Amino acid sequence: MAISQRLELRQSQSLVMTPQLQQAIKLLQLSNIELADYVQQEIEQNPLLDRDDGTQNSTLVDTDTNDLHSAAAAPSENENQQPDSLELSNADTLPDNNQTPLDNDYDNYYDSSPDNQWNDQDTAFSSWGAGGNTRFDDAEYSLENRLRDTITLRDHLREQLQMEVDEPTERLIGVHLIDHVDEAGYMKAPLDEIADQLGCPLDLVASVLKTLQSFDPAGICARDLGECLAIQLAEKNRLDPAIQALLDNLELLAKRDLKALKEVCGVDEEDITDMIAEIRALNPRPAATFDTSDVETVIPEVIIKSDNAGGWRIELNNDALPKVLINNKYHGTVSDLARTKEDKSYISEQLQSANWLIKALHQRATTVLKVATEIVRQQDGFFQKGVQALKPLTLKDIAEVIEMHESTVSRVTSNKYMVTPRGTFEMKYFFTSSISGGDGDAHSSEAVRDRIKNLIDQEDPKKILSDDALVTKLKAEGIDIARRTVAKYREALGIPSSVQRRREKKLSF
């Protein structure tokens, strides 16, 4: 067999992930907070991009990829108008299907009435374009009443220390002790170790700790649960020998051994009942009101409202979407000043990058709206009746209807929230697995979970429902479920077993 060289021409198809397509896919999976950070980075890197703050004299340019440079230099028809990347996105400025395969026009208005399933006059743009009414200015969405300045536990205790302790040495010890208080409000560091570190007598450290234990909140700086409860009872003048004996034997209370507790405390059944009720009214975590974590406010991407025709209005939250403009004036200035080939190439690349960012932002908004609309259409029962009417739903169900890939739907629904008349939910919440029913209908696992919780909440204290009893009741309602599945759902809900519930309800006086 002879080995030789020759030229061949072959034609083949392959999927190439262009940087622009990669950018569009990346933006889909970002939450609105992450998206704002990403856009801010792009604005810092691209001199032609500006954020729309109402003062920039910028416009969205024609995004014809055949002549990006000359189109950017075209003057604006109305220099006083301040449109953003969403408001001026239209058929002329959007890329074609080959450029952005994830973007399609879609109707976002869903009417649950049989006579009018879809309203063709209300397009995906009408609910969130220029002059849209999707704002959080209404009182029901006001955040001023929900957010407040927070103070840490350490600052709260130090402030009290400054007012109550004058002696510098004791104040120094107090500051050191406060630094050892954990998130629950307990003093976990041994006092002898603190005394050795500070080089002071142990009695002085104990004395300062006693002062700290008188601070607000009641029970703070206790060394164990018994001491924490004792401090709170002493503040109420209810720390008598009998209840102190109960605090010294909390392990018996945890075991629900009432007989042993009565003997230890020397009281009858009525007294032990009252004492347990008093202890239950106390706070075992005195520092729980001081949140040590940073509060992250959920900003919804989509707002669902009921209309007057029995359907649902699906709108994008414009306030959560970054508004980006291309500064035409600056582009014209730097274009005139550019002399070298490198400078002109750089300006052209930045203009193209800016246009693609604006297109990707619009594509993301349209895709989110499209997925949200289909979720509302398929989960109409949930919005009408509640969680018990939640239907089984998979990513594939949505992807097939809107003609997108499942991975795209997964990216769109991750870390994105919807405000609905029934509360704020992550878009992933509406995707639940299926449980077969005796009547042939499938039931959502989330709906079954909710039904189990309702059955347990309504159970007779004298007749606690076991897992087997729950299975029997659910099968009577047409839900074919195994006992182990009931136990798994019950544990996921944080509900104790029937034996534990029976003990707890016996002690619920």
Side-chain angles (χ1 to χ4, degrees), residues 114-125:
D115 298 333
N116 187 14
Q117 285 291 328
W118 297 94
N119 188 340
D120 295 334
Q121 296 178 354
D122 200 8
T123 65
F125 299 95

Side-chain angles (χ1 to χ4, degrees), residues 259-386:
K259 183 178 179 180
L261 278 176
K262 288 189 291 184
E263 294 178 359
V264 170
C265 299
V267 296
D268 57 20
E269 185 170 350
E270 183 179 355
D271 289 336
I272 198 67
T273 299
D274 293 339
M275 292 162 58
I276 293 175
E278 279 192 78
I279 290 178
R280 286 192 166 186
L282 303 176
N283 184 6
R285 296 174 60 88
T289 55
F290 294 88
D291 191 2
T292 57
S293 60
D294 294 333
V295 177
E296 293 186 3
T297 304
V298 172
I299 303 176
E301 297 260 354
V302 182
I303 300 174
I304 311 297
K305 295 180 180 179
S306 176
D307 64 9
N308 297 326
W312 302 102
R313 178 77 180 179
I314 302 102
E315 301 174 349
L316 285 178
N317 177 17
N318 279 345
D319 292 344
L321 299 175
K323 298 177 176 62
V324 183
L325 303 173
I326 296 179
N327 194 328
N328 271 340
K329 184 177 180 180
Y330 181 74
H331 174 263
T333 301
V334 296
S335 297
D336 294 339
L337 296 176
R339 295 292 182 266
T340 65
K341 182 179 179 181
E342 290 78 9
D343 292 342
K344 293 180 180 180
S345 175
Y346 172 77
I347 296 172
S348 178
E349 290 175 0
Q350 294 304 311
L351 178 63
Q352 184 176 4
S353 175
N355 276 285
W356 268 107
L357 175 62
I358 291 175
K359 292 178 183 179
L361 288 174
H362 172 264
Q363 176 181 304
R364 176 185 181 276
T366 305
T367 308
V368 170
L369 186 65
K370 185 186 302 184
V371 173
T373 302
E374 185 59 26
I375 289 176
V376 173
R377 190 185 72 83
Q378 300 210 28
Q379 295 291 7
D380 178 65
F382 168 83
F383 296 101
Q384 296 283 358
K385 301 177 182 179

Side-chain angles (χ1 to χ4, degrees), residues 23-172:
Q23 181 186 52
I25 293 176
K26 179 180 180 180
L27 293 184
L28 280 178
Q29 62 191 7
L30 297 180
S31 66
N32 44 27
I33 297 178
E34 295 170 337
L35 180 65
D37 292 339
Y38 178 85
V39 170
Q40 182 60 36
Q41 293 177 6
E42 291 294 318
I43 292 175
E44 293 174 356
Q45 296 173 4
N46 193 331
L48 300 183
L49 283 174
D50 279 329
R51 185 179 296 276
D52 181 16
D53 57 1
T55 60
Q56 298 292 338
N57 188 14
S58 307
T59 58
L60 177 65
V61 300
D62 185 5
T63 53
D64 184 3
T65 55
N66 294 326
D67 192 9
L68 284 173
H69 185 86
S70 61
S76 171
E77 295 180 1
N78 185 0
E79 294 184 353
N80 295 325
Q81 186 178 5
Q82 301 298 326
D84 58 49
S85 58
L86 292 177
E87 294 169 353
L88 287 180
S89 295
N90 50 52
D92 296 329
T93 60
L94 292 178
D96 56 32
N97 291 333
N98 294 328
Q99 293 171 310
T100 55
L102 299 179
D103 193 14
N104 294 285
D105 290 337
Y106 199 74
D107 193 343
N108 78 309
Y109 188 87
Y110 173 61
D111 189 344
S112 61
S113 59
D115 298 333
N116 187 14
Q117 285 291 328
W118 297 94
N119 188 340
D120 295 334
Q121 296 178 354
D122 200 8
T123 65
F125 299 95
S126 63
S127 63
W128 50 270
N133 59 355
T134 309
R135 300 187 62 83
F136 277 1
D137 297 338
D138 300 335
E140 61 178 320
Y141 295 116
S142 176
L143 297 179
E144 286 79 5
N145 294 328
R146 304 183 185 184
L147 298 179
R148 60 179 177 85
D149 292 334
T150 58
I151 182 172
T152 64
L153 174 65
R154 182 174 301 176
D155 293 338
H156 183 61
L157 294 177
R158 285 184 175 182
E159 182 178 348
Q160 297 177 76
L161 180 68
Q162 293 288 333
M163 293 186 296
E164 297 293 333
V165 179
D166 297 326
E167 209 280 319
T169 302
E170 294 182 358
R171 186 176 291 179
L172 177 62

